[in-house]
């Protein structure tokens, strides 16, 4: 468990929204540390999110998510939700200057509006 700081993970989990925790214990489960999964499931339980709701969330997400060869879900290029579509757009320098075409992954939120077209919102990592 090199590089895995349980205290930092626990702090993150306490601040995370239910949707993110639900995504992590369902569609991103395969890439998670078992100790982190235990903490997330415990936090969801503390918040009153039951096993049925967790299972339902996982089924809904998996029905739409793009799966990677390793069995995990592809992440949206703009947030941490599972991607449901791939769109062509431009990689932009400073979020403005288009440099080269690239393939973006988009979740349900980012496939609507300006993200659904050929020019998704600027990649925050650019």
């Amino acid at each position: 468990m090199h590089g895995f700081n349980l205290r930092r993970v626990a702090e993150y989990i306490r601040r995370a929204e239910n949707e993110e925790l639900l995504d992590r214990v369902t569609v991103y489960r395969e890439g998670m540390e078992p100790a982190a999964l235990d903490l997330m499931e415990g936090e969801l339980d503390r918040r009153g999110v039951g096993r049925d709701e967790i299972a339902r969330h996982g089924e809904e997400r998996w029905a739409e998510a793009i799966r990677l060869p390793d069995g995990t879900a592809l992440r949206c290029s703009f947030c941490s939700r599972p991607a449901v579509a791939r769109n062509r757009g431009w990689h932009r320098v400073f979020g403005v200057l288009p440099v080269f075409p690239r393939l973006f992954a988009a979740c349900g939120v980012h496939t609507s509006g300006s993200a659904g077209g050929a020019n998704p919102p600027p990649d925050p990592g650019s």
Side-chain angles (χ1 to χ4, degrees):
M1 282 209 285
H2 179 70
F4 181 69
N5 184 329
L6 197 55
R7 182 174 295 143
R8 284 183 52 193
V9 171
E11 290 171 12
Y12 168 80
I13 289 169
R14 281 192 295 276
R15 291 188 316 267
E17 294 191 20
N18 285 1
E19 181 182 16
E20 183 157 0
L21 293 177
L22 286 166
D23 285 345
R24 289 179 183 271
V25 301
T26 57
V27 295
Y28 298 133
R29 183 175 200 85
E30 292 303 315
M32 302 293 299
E33 290 281 345
L37 282 170
D38 288 343
L39 288 173
M40 288 178 206
E41 289 172 340
E43 180 65 18
L44 286 168
D45 187 50
R46 188 186 70 73
R47 295 179 185 184
V49 179
R51 299 291 176 215
D52 291 341
E53 190 175 345
I54 293 171
R56 186 172 43 254
H57 179 86
E59 289 169 8
E60 290 170 0
R61 285 293 209 235
W62 274 125
E64 297 179 333
I66 297 172
R67 294 180 192 222
L68 295 171
D70 68 359
T72 59
L74 177 65
R75 287 183 190 267
C76 176
S77 298
F78 311 104
C79 68
S80 64
R81 291 181 188 92
V84 298
R86 289 187 171 125
N87 300 316
R88 290 216 172 270
W90 288 95
H91 178 84
R92 298 175 185 270
V93 175
F94 305 115
V96 179
L97 181 65
V99 180
F100 57 86
R102 104 170 229 218
L103 193 60
F104 290 91
C107 66
V109 171
H110 291 110
T111 55
S112 61
S114 63
N119 292 310
D123 187 1
S126 60

